[in-house]
């Protein structure tokens, strides 16, 4: 396939992404399910080229920016607070699931060497960051559960990658050491954290010097790939490097980004992440044909691998439940013993955590990177794809129902000390004090009366609203409904004047931008 046809295929894929997303919204399906199914259907269209996914290329293109996006948006304070629980899922659960799957695979296929069984376990063990984001986008979770799942998805890929590399090496040498694998994981993670910290701090200094918002946005997008490639070149965890760099950049962006950079950068990044995330699921679906062909066709796959595949899928789901509920028992025991840091969750919350374990691109990439001639390679590849489809279609579509059944509530300890309305009131008070100090000249004469009055009025409204939020909400919503109507009327008039030739493009763009900011503020205030 030449470069032109490859580009045409890429354009067709993105057109299909838009169509499949639209169809998913109309049918009420999770977009990830529609994209995966659509990609699988397209793979078998007569005349369609077979898609052979390059695992290394897929990881380096898609994983870094999506990991950066997760690190950018995760609440850092909650991440620190729940780091023990996140580590339990990202490391302990992955290692435990790998061991369970390896044992089940060896019991069902005794001829498969233990190293190959461990490789299979490493491939399917880590839940995927992209699949997790897709599933969580459609459900509302308490802050603690969301940060546990998002934090796990940021870090567990490193666990899976380390286990897989050690398992492949063990197949070549004939020896496998869990202790050595654990030590290797710690070393690679610490090294990745150091590399990521250097990249993140360098980004902060660079952004302060660039001064141009387009250069800053471009540098931020490139940071994810720089961190990942730097980590891999240093032979440490590129995944941890990206996450660390993203956390540092996210923490500092509030002070080094201008308002214009933040608005434009967020818009650019949102679209980029949307396209990358959607492309991953379509590519997974498109690779179905290549996976089935490698396995000898649907008939051969079902006849020779059907039972082991189903058993592995059941084992990894069960292993996550066992680990999560077992860990919860340990936490409850620690709390009973007097450990203040122990934060047990409800059994319903534990069920949600256990069920939120969809697999995705990392599982497929690891399976595809299994060396040629590796024992059980076809079984690993077909099982990996079946696990992705089974977890995305099964767990991804039913997670919302499990959340509804669990009837989750935000624990009081997890709620912030101040509500949003209280924070807004505090911010408004500080603004009033600043304006009051600057509204008078050196002689004490008031020179900005209207500005002072506006800020005082805004502060009073914020304080009154914070005191009786529910009582004022209907009036607030009605107020901003009027604001939105006024914005729409103003925009319509600007367009009319432009079409009539009474104002030029520059005037239209400038005034329309003001209306856009006013509209976004009104929408945000009522969200």
């Amino acid at each position: 396939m030449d470069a032109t046809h490859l580009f045409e295929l890429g354009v067709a894929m993105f057109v299909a992404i838009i169509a499949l997303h639209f169809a998913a919204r109309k049918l009420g399906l999770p977009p990830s399910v529609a994209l995966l199914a659509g990609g699988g259907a397209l793979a078998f269209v007569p005349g369609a080229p077979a898609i052979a996914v390059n695992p290394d290329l897929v990881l380096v293109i898609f994983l870094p920016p999506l990991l950066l996006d997760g690190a950018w948006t995760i609440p850092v304070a909650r991440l620190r607070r729940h780091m023990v629980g996140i580590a339990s899922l990202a490391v302990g659960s992955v290692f435990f699931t790998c061991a369970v799957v390896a044992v089940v695979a060896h019991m069902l296929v005794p001829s498969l060497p233990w190293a190959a069984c461990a490789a299979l376990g490493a491939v399917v063990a880590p839940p995927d960051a992209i699949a997790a984001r897709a599933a969580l986008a459609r459900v509302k979770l308490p802050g603690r559960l969301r940060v546990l799942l998002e934090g796990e998805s940021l870090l567990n890929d490193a666990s899976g990658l380390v286990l897989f590399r050690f398992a492949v090496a063990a197949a070549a040498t004939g020896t496998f050491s869990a202790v050595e694998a654990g030590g290797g994981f710690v070393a690679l993670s610490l090294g990745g954290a150091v590399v990521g910290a250097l990249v993140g701090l360098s980004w902060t200094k660079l952004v302060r010097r660039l001064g141009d918002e387009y250069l800053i946005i471009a540098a931020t997008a490139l940071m994810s790939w720089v961190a990942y490639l730097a980590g891999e070149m240093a032979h440490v965890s590129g995944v941890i490097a990206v996450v660390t760099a993203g956390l540092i950049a996210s923490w500092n962006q509030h002070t080094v980004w201008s308002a214009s950079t933040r608005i434009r950068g967020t818009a650019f990044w949102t679209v980029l992440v949307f396209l990358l995330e959607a492309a991953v699921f379509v590519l997974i679906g498109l690779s179905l044909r290549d996976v089935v062909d490698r396995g000898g066709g649907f008939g051969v796959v079902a006849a020779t691998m059907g039972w082991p595949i189903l058993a592995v899928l059941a084992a990894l789901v069960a292993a996550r439940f066992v680990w999560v509920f077992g860990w919860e028992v340990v936490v409850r025991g620690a709390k009973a013993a007097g450990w203040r840091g122990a934060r047990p969750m409800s059994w319903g919350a534990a069920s949600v955590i256990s069920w939120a374990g969809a697999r995705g691109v990392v599982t497929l990439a690891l399976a595809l990177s299994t060396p040629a001639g590796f024992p059980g390679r076809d079984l690993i590849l077909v099982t990996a794809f079946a696990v992705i489809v089974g977890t995305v279609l099964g767990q991804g579509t039913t997670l919302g129902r499990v959340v509804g059944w669990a009837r989750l509530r935000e624990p009081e300890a997890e709620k912030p000390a101040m509500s949003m309305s209280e924070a807004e009131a505090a911010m408004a008070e500080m603004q009033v004090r600043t304006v009051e100090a600057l509204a008078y000249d050196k002689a004490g004469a008031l020179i900005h009366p209207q500005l002072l009055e506006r800020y005082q009025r805004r502060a009073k409204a914020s304080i009154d609203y914070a005191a009786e939020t529910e009582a004022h909400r209907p009036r607030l919503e009605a107020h901003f409904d009027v604001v939105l109507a006024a914005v729409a009327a103003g925009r319509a008039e600007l367009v009319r004047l432009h079409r009539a030739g009474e104002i030029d493009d520059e005037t239209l763009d400038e005034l329309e931008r003001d209306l856009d900011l006013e509209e976004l503020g009104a929408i945000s205030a009522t969200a």
Side-chain angles (χ1 to χ4, degrees):
M1 184 183 298
D2 60 32
T4 302
H5 286 108
L6 186 62
F7 176 74
E8 291 171 349
L9 184 62
V11 171
M13 181 182 69
F14 286 116
V15 171
I17 284 172
I18 295 173
L20 290 168
H21 254 275
F22 181 78
R25 286 184 58 188
K26 290 296 182 182
L27 297 173
L29 293 173
S32 57
V33 173
L35 293 167
L36 190 62
L42 291 173
F44 290 93
V45 171
I51 303 297
V53 177
N54 184 315
D56 295 329
L57 189 60
V58 166
L59 283 180
V60 78
I61 289 176
F62 293 100
L63 194 58
L66 296 174
L67 285 172
L68 176 63
D69 185 63
W72 196 276
T73 56
I74 197 168
V76 177
R78 282 181 171 172
L79 182 69
R80 289 199 301 262
R81 189 184 311 147
H82 298 298
M83 202 62 219
V84 174
I86 291 171
S88 165
L89 293 171
V91 182
S93 179
V94 171
F95 275 62
F96 179 71
T97 302
C98 176
V100 170
V101 170
V103 171
V104 170
H106 194 70
M107 289 174 58
L108 294 172
V109 189
S111 60
L112 200 63
W114 275 108
C117 295
L120 173 59
V123 165
V124 301
D128 185 63
I130 305 168
R133 286 165 51 90
L136 294 178
R138 293 174 55 86
V139 298
K140 184 172 180 60
L141 291 176
R144 180 188 181 186
L145 265 63
R146 181 169 290 274
V147 79
L148 283 172
L149 291 172
E150 290 180 351
E152 175 198 14
S153 70
L154 290 176
L155 303 176
N156 61 10
D157 292 339
S159 305
L161 288 165
V162 169
L163 283 173
F164 179 75
R165 290 171 181 171
F166 272 91
V168 171
T173 61
T175 58
F176 179 81
S177 170
V179 174
E180 187 178 354
F185 172 75
V186 172
L188 292 174
S189 297
L190 291 176
V194 171
V195 171
L198 292 175
V199 173
L201 294 173
S202 299
W203 173 88
T204 303
K205 291 185 177 181
L206 177 65
V207 166
R208 292 183 189 276
R209 294 174 179 269
L210 285 176
D212 183 281
E213 60 190 40
Y214 297 107
L215 295 179
I216 292 171
I217 294 169
T220 304
L222 290 173
M223 178 182 63
S224 63
W225 287 292
V226 170
Y228 185 84
L229 293 173
E232 293 299 309
M233 290 173 63
H235 302 292
V236 295
S237 174
V239 171
I240 301 297
V242 174
V243 172
T244 304
L247 290 172
I248 292 174
S250 173
W251 183 262
N252 289 298
Q253 58 99 359
H254 303 288
T255 57
V256 300
W257 272 16
S258 66
S260 177
T261 301
R262 188 170 296 106
I263 290 173
R264 292 182 176 179
T266 301
F268 164 77
W269 192 252
T270 300
V271 174
L272 177 64
V273 168
F274 163 76
L275 292 175
L276 290 175
E277 199 172 79
V280 165
F281 286 105
V282 172
L283 284 175
I284 291 174
L286 288 172
S287 66
L288 173 61
R289 181 173 166 184
D290 182 58
V291 171
V292 172
D293 289 345
R294 288 171 185 251
F298 278 113
V300 174
V301 168
T304 61
M305 306 180 189
W307 170 238
I309 288 173
L310 290 175
V312 167
L313 179 58
L316 68 90
V317 172
R320 185 172 176 87
F321 270 89
V322 170
W323 179 268
V324 171
F325 277 82
W327 178 260
E328 184 59 25
V329 170
V330 171
V331 171
R332 289 178 181 235
K335 184 174 180 62
W339 182 36
R340 294 183 179 180
R343 297 184 179 91
M345 65 179 73
S346 68
W347 295 119
S351 299
V352 171
I353 293 286
S354 301
W355 191 243
R359 272 63 175 177
V361 64
V362 172
T363 290
L364 182 64
L366 289 178
L368 290 170
S369 63
T370 306
F374 190 82
R377 185 177 189 273
D378 290 341
L379 176 63
I380 292 173
L381 192 59
V382 176
T383 302
F385 194 90
V387 163
I388 294 170
V389 174
T391 54
V392 170
L393 295 182
Q395 295 174 309
T397 56
T398 58
L399 182 60
R401 297 177 186 175
V402 175
V403 171
W405 165 82
R407 297 184 179 181
L408 305 175
R409 289 184 294 181
E410 185 79 69
E412 289 297 324
E414 293 295 320
K415 294 180 179 179
M418 298 179 70
S419 67
M420 185 175 294
S421 58
E422 290 170 334
E424 186 178 12
M427 178 186 72
E429 285 187 279
M430 179 57 71
Q431 288 178 316
V432 166
R433 286 199 292 270
T434 301
V435 174
E436 285 176 343
L438 300 174
Y440 297 86
D441 62 14
K442 293 182 179 179
L446 181 60
I447 57 176
H448 299 297
Q450 293 179 333
L451 191 62
L452 179 59
E453 181 187 0
R454 189 179 78 183
Y455 274 93
Q456 286 175 335
R457 187 171 62 250
R458 182 187 299 174
K460 183 178 183 306
S462 297
I463 294 169
D464 291 345
Y465 180 76
E468 297 183 62
T469 302
E470 293 305 318
H472 287 291
R473 174 161 284 278
R475 292 179 57 193
L476 180 77
E477 292 176 347
H479 168 84
F480 283 108
D481 284 343
V482 176
V483 172
L484 291 173
V487 168
R491 185 178 288 110
E493 179 62 12
L494 282 179
V495 172
R496 186 192 69 79
L497 293 172
H498 180 261
R499 298 294 186 266
E502 297 184 41
I503 60 174
D504 57 16
D505 290 351
E506 289 76 11
T507 302
L508 172 66
D509 292 342
E510 187 73 21
L511 294 178
E512 189 176 42
R513 185 181 64 179
D514 293 341
L515 289 175
D516 289 343
L517 292 173
E518 188 176 2
E519 180 180 349
L520 289 174
I523 293 173
S524 175
T526 57

